[in-house]
């Protein structure tokens, strides 16, 4: 588990401390361990539980726990699949869970540029507040202003982006 987790751990610098894909490889070791435990369970029950009624009771309890756990994970998976089914839902969920991260605010702002420019302005401004040295969100905010025909505001915003990085086109 830890060996598989090592390449995606904090030993390798990353701007994003938590990503769902970072745990996929490490789950191989944990899944193998869990499978071994489940496969060993019948032999353990047979060896340590002598009476058949006690074995039946234990088997019933384990079965109920397994069905309950499976139902729980199906519910979680279904909920997560619904979030991942739509880009806007995904980015809104991400911003809700990580409001102080640049990338979710920026991505939601970009996604909302055409459909809801006022809302896009809010998220792009939040991204700028989070990382004021990054010219990307500043330039994109200028685009929002330009699309709304606020040309002077757009020009001022684009000049700010150039001030941050004169080589940024």
């Amino acid at each position: 588990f830890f060996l598989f987790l090592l390449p995606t751990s904090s030993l390798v610098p990353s701007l994003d401390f938590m990503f769902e894909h970072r745990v996929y490889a490490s789950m191989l070791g944990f899944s193998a361990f869990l499978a071994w435990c489940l496969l060993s369970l019948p032999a353990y029950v047979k060896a340590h539980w002598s009476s058949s009624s006690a074995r039946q009771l234990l088997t019933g309890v384990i079965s109920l726990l397994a069905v309950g756990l499976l139902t729980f994970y199906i519910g979680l998976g279904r909920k997560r699949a619904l979030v991942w089914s739509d880009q806007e839902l995904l980015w809104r969920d991400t911003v809700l869970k990580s409001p102080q991260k640049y990338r979710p605010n920026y991505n939601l702002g970009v996604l909302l540029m055409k459909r809801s420019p006022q809302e896009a302005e809010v998220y792009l401004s939040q991204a700028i507040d989070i990382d004021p040295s990054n010219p990307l969100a500043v330039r994109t905010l200028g685009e929002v202003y330009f699309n709304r025909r606020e040309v002077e505001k757009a020009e001022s915003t684009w000049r700010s982006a150039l001030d941050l990085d004169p080589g940024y086109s």
Side-chain angles (χ1 to χ4, degrees), residues 93-113:
D93 182 63
T94 307
V95 168
L96 183 67
K97 291 177 180 168
S98 302
Q100 293 302 314
K101 292 192 76 174
Y102 173 86
R103 189 175 300 165
N105 282 286
Y106 174 76
N107 286 352
L108 183 56
V110 169
L111 187 66
L112 294 171
M113 280 175 63

PDB file of all heavy atoms in Angstrom, residues 93-113:
ATOM      1  N   ASP A  93     -19.070  21.228  -7.297  1.00  0.00           N
ATOM      2  CA  ASP A  93     -18.778  20.339  -6.173  1.00  0.00           C
ATOM      3  C   ASP A  93     -17.336  20.521  -5.703  1.00  0.00           C
ATOM      4  O   ASP A  93     -17.069  20.562  -4.503  1.00  0.00           O
ATOM      5  CB  ASP A  93     -19.028  18.882  -6.591  1.00  0.00           C
ATOM      6  CG  ASP A  93     -18.792  17.911  -5.461  1.00  0.00           C
ATOM      7  OD1 ASP A  93     -19.522  17.987  -4.452  1.00  0.00           O
ATOM      8  OD2 ASP A  93     -17.886  17.064  -5.591  1.00  0.00           O
ATOM      9  N   THR A  94     -16.435  20.660  -6.646  1.00  0.00           N
ATOM     10  CA  THR A  94     -15.021  20.827  -6.297  1.00  0.00           C
ATOM     11  C   THR A  94     -14.791  22.160  -5.592  1.00  0.00           C
ATOM     12  O   THR A  94     -14.064  22.225  -4.601  1.00  0.00           O
ATOM     13  CB  THR A  94     -14.142  20.727  -7.561  1.00  0.00           C
ATOM     14  OG1 THR A  94     -14.457  19.524  -8.245  1.00  0.00           O
ATOM     15  CG2 THR A  94     -12.673  20.726  -7.203  1.00  0.00           C
ATOM     16  N   VAL A  95     -15.415  23.234  -6.097  1.00  0.00           N
ATOM     17  CA  VAL A  95     -15.279  24.537  -5.442  1.00  0.00           C
ATOM     18  C   VAL A  95     -15.900  24.495  -4.047  1.00  0.00           C
ATOM     19  O   VAL A  95     -15.349  25.056  -3.105  1.00  0.00           O
ATOM     20  CB  VAL A  95     -15.912  25.661  -6.303  1.00  0.00           C
ATOM     21  CG1 VAL A  95     -16.043  26.957  -5.514  1.00  0.00           C
ATOM     22  CG2 VAL A  95     -15.091  25.895  -7.556  1.00  0.00           C
ATOM     23  N   LEU A  96     -17.030  23.806  -3.926  1.00  0.00           N
ATOM     24  CA  LEU A  96     -17.679  23.688  -2.623  1.00  0.00           C
ATOM     25  C   LEU A  96     -16.765  22.993  -1.612  1.00  0.00           C
ATOM     26  O   LEU A  96     -16.679  23.392  -0.449  1.00  0.00           O
ATOM     27  CB  LEU A  96     -18.990  22.901  -2.777  1.00  0.00           C
ATOM     28  CG  LEU A  96     -19.845  22.746  -1.530  1.00  0.00           C
ATOM     29  CD1 LEU A  96     -20.408  24.098  -1.099  1.00  0.00           C
ATOM     30  CD2 LEU A  96     -20.978  21.771  -1.796  1.00  0.00           C
ATOM     31  N   LYS A  97     -16.064  21.964  -2.077  1.00  0.00           N
ATOM     32  CA  LYS A  97     -15.194  21.199  -1.182  1.00  0.00           C
ATOM     33  C   LYS A  97     -13.820  21.823  -1.010  1.00  0.00           C
ATOM     34  O   LYS A  97     -13.138  21.550  -0.020  1.00  0.00           O
ATOM     35  CB  LYS A  97     -15.064  19.767  -1.706  1.00  0.00           C
ATOM     36  CG  LYS A  97     -16.362  19.004  -1.583  1.00  0.00           C
ATOM     37  CD  LYS A  97     -16.267  17.623  -2.172  1.00  0.00           C
ATOM     38  CE  LYS A  97     -17.605  16.909  -2.020  1.00  0.00           C
ATOM     39  NZ  LYS A  97     -17.667  15.699  -2.792  1.00  0.00           N
ATOM     40  N   SER A  98     -13.386  22.635  -1.985  1.00  0.00           N
ATOM     41  CA  SER A  98     -12.060  23.273  -1.923  1.00  0.00           C
ATOM     42  C   SER A  98     -12.170  24.735  -2.343  1.00  0.00           C
ATOM     43  O   SER A  98     -11.632  25.129  -3.379  1.00  0.00           O
ATOM     44  CB  SER A  98     -11.078  22.548  -2.841  1.00  0.00           C
ATOM     45  OG  SER A  98     -10.964  21.199  -2.517  1.00  0.00           O
ATOM     46  N   PRO A  99     -12.843  25.551  -1.548  1.00  0.00           N
ATOM     47  CA  PRO A  99     -13.077  26.932  -1.969  1.00  0.00           C
ATOM     48  C   PRO A  99     -11.812  27.783  -2.045  1.00  0.00           C
ATOM     49  O   PRO A  99     -11.803  28.799  -2.740  1.00  0.00           O
ATOM     50  CB  PRO A  99     -14.036  27.474  -0.908  1.00  0.00           C
ATOM     51  CG  PRO A  99     -13.842  26.614   0.277  1.00  0.00           C
ATOM     52  CD  PRO A  99     -13.430  25.267  -0.249  1.00  0.00           C
ATOM     53  N   GLN A 100     -10.757  27.381  -1.380  1.00  0.00           N
ATOM     54  CA  GLN A 100      -9.529  28.175  -1.374  1.00  0.00           C
ATOM     55  C   GLN A 100      -8.476  27.656  -2.356  1.00  0.00           C
ATOM     56  O   GLN A 100      -7.296  27.960  -2.210  1.00  0.00           O
ATOM     57  CB  GLN A 100      -8.940  28.216   0.042  1.00  0.00           C
ATOM     58  CG  GLN A 100      -9.811  28.972   1.018  1.00  0.00           C
ATOM     59  CD  GLN A 100     -10.057  30.402   0.572  1.00  0.00           C
ATOM     60  OE1 GLN A 100      -9.147  31.104   0.160  1.00  0.00           O
ATOM     61  NE2 GLN A 100     -11.305  30.839   0.628  1.00  0.00           N
ATOM     62  N   LYS A 101      -8.905  26.914  -3.362  1.00  0.00           N
ATOM     63  CA  LYS A 101      -7.970  26.421  -4.374  1.00  0.00           C
ATOM     64  C   LYS A 101      -8.195  27.164  -5.684  1.00  0.00           C
ATOM     65  O   LYS A 101      -9.322  27.406  -6.098  1.00  0.00           O
ATOM     66  CB  LYS A 101      -8.140  24.914  -4.578  1.00  0.00           C
ATOM     67  CG  LYS A 101      -7.703  24.131  -3.342  1.00  0.00           C
ATOM     68  CD  LYS A 101      -7.601  22.683  -3.618  1.00  0.00           C
ATOM     69  CE  LYS A 101      -6.331  22.450  -4.391  1.00  0.00           C
ATOM     70  NZ  LYS A 101      -6.007  21.079  -4.617  1.00  0.00           N
ATOM     71  N   TYR A 102      -7.104  27.502  -6.312  1.00  0.00           N
ATOM     72  CA  TYR A 102      -7.130  28.288  -7.543  1.00  0.00           C
ATOM     73  C   TYR A 102      -7.822  27.554  -8.685  1.00  0.00           C
ATOM     74  O   TYR A 102      -8.729  28.089  -9.326  1.00  0.00           O
ATOM     75  CB  TYR A 102      -5.684  28.646  -7.930  1.00  0.00           C
ATOM     76  CG  TYR A 102      -5.552  29.314  -9.275  1.00  0.00           C
ATOM     77  CD1 TYR A 102      -5.701  30.684  -9.393  1.00  0.00           C
ATOM     78  CD2 TYR A 102      -5.291  28.572 -10.420  1.00  0.00           C
ATOM     79  CE1 TYR A 102      -5.587  31.308 -10.625  1.00  0.00           C
ATOM     80  CE2 TYR A 102      -5.178  29.188 -11.655  1.00  0.00           C
ATOM     81  CZ  TYR A 102      -5.325  30.557 -11.746  1.00  0.00           C
ATOM     82  OH  TYR A 102      -5.231  31.161 -12.968  1.00  0.00           O
ATOM     83  N   ARG A 103      -7.369  26.345  -8.966  1.00  0.00           N
ATOM     84  CA  ARG A 103      -7.810  25.627 -10.168  1.00  0.00           C
ATOM     85  C   ARG A 103      -9.323  25.407 -10.249  1.00  0.00           C
ATOM     86  O   ARG A 103      -9.925  25.657 -11.292  1.00  0.00           O
ATOM     87  CB  ARG A 103      -7.072  24.297 -10.297  1.00  0.00           C
ATOM     88  CG  ARG A 103      -7.341  23.618 -11.635  1.00  0.00           C
ATOM     89  CD  ARG A 103      -6.541  22.370 -11.818  1.00  0.00           C
ATOM     90  NE  ARG A 103      -5.131  22.693 -11.764  1.00  0.00           N
ATOM     91  CZ  ARG A 103      -4.181  21.799 -11.605  1.00  0.00           C
ATOM     92  NH1 ARG A 103      -4.482  20.525 -11.486  1.00  0.00           N
ATOM     93  NH2 ARG A 103      -2.919  22.148 -11.562  1.00  0.00           N
ATOM     94  N   PRO A 104      -9.999  24.942  -9.185  1.00  0.00           N
ATOM     95  CA  PRO A 104     -11.453  24.770  -9.307  1.00  0.00           C
ATOM     96  C   PRO A 104     -12.189  26.085  -9.571  1.00  0.00           C
ATOM     97  O   PRO A 104     -13.110  26.130 -10.383  1.00  0.00           O
ATOM     98  CB  PRO A 104     -11.867  24.174  -7.961  1.00  0.00           C
ATOM     99  CG  PRO A 104     -10.631  23.616  -7.373  1.00  0.00           C
ATOM    100  CD  PRO A 104      -9.494  24.405  -7.916  1.00  0.00           C
ATOM    101  N   ASN A 105     -11.773  27.159  -8.895  1.00  0.00           N
ATOM    102  CA  ASN A 105     -12.414  28.454  -9.118  1.00  0.00           C
ATOM    103  C   ASN A 105     -12.184  28.928 -10.546  1.00  0.00           C
ATOM    104  O   ASN A 105     -13.108  29.402 -11.209  1.00  0.00           O
ATOM    105  CB  ASN A 105     -11.888  29.488  -8.116  1.00  0.00           C
ATOM    106  CG  ASN A 105     -12.520  29.331  -6.759  1.00  0.00           C
ATOM    107  OD1 ASN A 105     -13.665  29.680  -6.562  1.00  0.00           O
ATOM    108  ND2 ASN A 105     -11.772  28.769  -5.827  1.00  0.00           N
ATOM    109  N   TYR A 106     -10.958  28.779 -11.019  1.00  0.00           N
ATOM    110  CA  TYR A 106     -10.649  29.198 -12.389  1.00  0.00           C
ATOM    111  C   TYR A 106     -11.450  28.370 -13.402  1.00  0.00           C
ATOM    112  O   TYR A 106     -12.076  28.914 -14.311  1.00  0.00           O
ATOM    113  CB  TYR A 106      -9.147  29.072 -12.666  1.00  0.00           C
ATOM    114  CG  TYR A 106      -8.815  29.344 -14.109  1.00  0.00           C
ATOM    115  CD1 TYR A 106      -8.800  30.644 -14.603  1.00  0.00           C
ATOM    116  CD2 TYR A 106      -8.562  28.298 -14.992  1.00  0.00           C
ATOM    117  CE1 TYR A 106      -8.537  30.903 -15.942  1.00  0.00           C
ATOM    118  CE2 TYR A 106      -8.300  28.545 -16.329  1.00  0.00           C
ATOM    119  CZ  TYR A 106      -8.278  29.849 -16.791  1.00  0.00           C
ATOM    120  OH  TYR A 106      -8.031  30.098 -18.116  1.00  0.00           O
ATOM    121  N   ASN A 107     -11.431  27.060 -13.256  1.00  0.00           N
ATOM    122  CA  ASN A 107     -12.122  26.192 -14.219  1.00  0.00           C
ATOM    123  C   ASN A 107     -13.630  26.432 -14.237  1.00  0.00           C
ATOM    124  O   ASN A 107     -14.249  26.426 -15.303  1.00  0.00           O
ATOM    125  CB  ASN A 107     -11.819  24.724 -13.933  1.00  0.00           C
ATOM    126  CG  ASN A 107     -10.416  24.337 -14.349  1.00  0.00           C
ATOM    127  OD1 ASN A 107      -9.710  25.103 -14.987  1.00  0.00           O
ATOM    128  ND2 ASN A 107     -10.000  23.152 -13.971  1.00  0.00           N
ATOM    129  N   LEU A 108     -14.228  26.650 -13.062  1.00  0.00           N
ATOM    130  CA  LEU A 108     -15.660  26.948 -13.029  1.00  0.00           C
ATOM    131  C   LEU A 108     -15.932  28.302 -13.675  1.00  0.00           C
ATOM    132  O   LEU A 108     -16.899  28.456 -14.416  1.00  0.00           O
ATOM    133  CB  LEU A 108     -16.190  26.916 -11.596  1.00  0.00           C
ATOM    134  CG  LEU A 108     -17.693  27.143 -11.435  1.00  0.00           C
ATOM    135  CD1 LEU A 108     -18.502  26.144 -12.261  1.00  0.00           C
ATOM    136  CD2 LEU A 108     -18.083  27.049  -9.964  1.00  0.00           C
ATOM    137  N   GLY A 109     -15.060  29.280 -13.440  1.00  0.00           N
ATOM    138  CA  GLY A 109     -15.213  30.579 -14.080  1.00  0.00           C
ATOM    139  C   GLY A 109     -15.159  30.482 -15.591  1.00  0.00           C
ATOM    140  O   GLY A 109     -15.979  31.076 -16.301  1.00  0.00           O
ATOM    141  N   VAL A 110     -14.207  29.723 -16.114  1.00  0.00           N
ATOM    142  CA  VAL A 110     -14.094  29.538 -17.567  1.00  0.00           C
ATOM    143  C   VAL A 110     -15.337  28.846 -18.114  1.00  0.00           C
ATOM    144  O   VAL A 110     -15.871  29.221 -19.154  1.00  0.00           O
ATOM    145  CB  VAL A 110     -12.814  28.736 -17.921  1.00  0.00           C
ATOM    146  CG1 VAL A 110     -12.812  28.297 -19.366  1.00  0.00           C
ATOM    147  CG2 VAL A 110     -11.572  29.558 -17.609  1.00  0.00           C
ATOM    148  N   LEU A 111     -15.805  27.845 -17.411  1.00  0.00           N
ATOM    149  CA  LEU A 111     -16.983  27.098 -17.861  1.00  0.00           C
ATOM    150  C   LEU A 111     -18.235  27.983 -17.917  1.00  0.00           C
ATOM    151  O   LEU A 111     -19.073  27.823 -18.800  1.00  0.00           O
ATOM    152  CB  LEU A 111     -17.217  25.919 -16.912  1.00  0.00           C
ATOM    153  CG  LEU A 111     -18.298  24.931 -17.292  1.00  0.00           C
ATOM    154  CD1 LEU A 111     -17.896  24.190 -18.577  1.00  0.00           C
ATOM    155  CD2 LEU A 111     -18.520  23.939 -16.176  1.00  0.00           C
ATOM    156  N   LEU A 112     -18.323  28.942 -17.013  1.00  0.00           N
ATOM    157  CA  LEU A 112     -19.508  29.792 -16.934  1.00  0.00           C
ATOM    158  C   LEU A 112     -19.414  31.055 -17.794  1.00  0.00           C
ATOM    159  O   LEU A 112     -20.367  31.837 -17.826  1.00  0.00           O
ATOM    160  CB  LEU A 112     -19.757  30.193 -15.471  1.00  0.00           C
ATOM    161  CG  LEU A 112     -20.131  29.064 -14.522  1.00  0.00           C
ATOM    162  CD1 LEU A 112     -20.132  29.556 -13.076  1.00  0.00           C
ATOM    163  CD2 LEU A 112     -21.478  28.478 -14.889  1.00  0.00           C
ATOM    164  N   MET A 113     -18.309  31.255 -18.492  1.00  0.00           N
ATOM    165  CA  MET A 113     -18.093  32.509 -19.236  1.00  0.00           C
ATOM    166  C   MET A 113     -19.224  32.842 -20.206  1.00  0.00           C
ATOM    167  O   MET A 113     -19.671  33.984 -20.258  1.00  0.00           O
ATOM    168  CB  MET A 113     -16.763  32.451 -20.007  1.00  0.00           C
ATOM    169  CG  MET A 113     -15.568  32.742 -19.155  1.00  0.00           C
ATOM    170  SD  MET A 113     -14.015  32.539 -20.034  1.00  0.00           S
ATOM    171  CE  MET A 113     -14.132  33.779 -21.303  1.00  0.00           C
TER     172      MET A 113
END
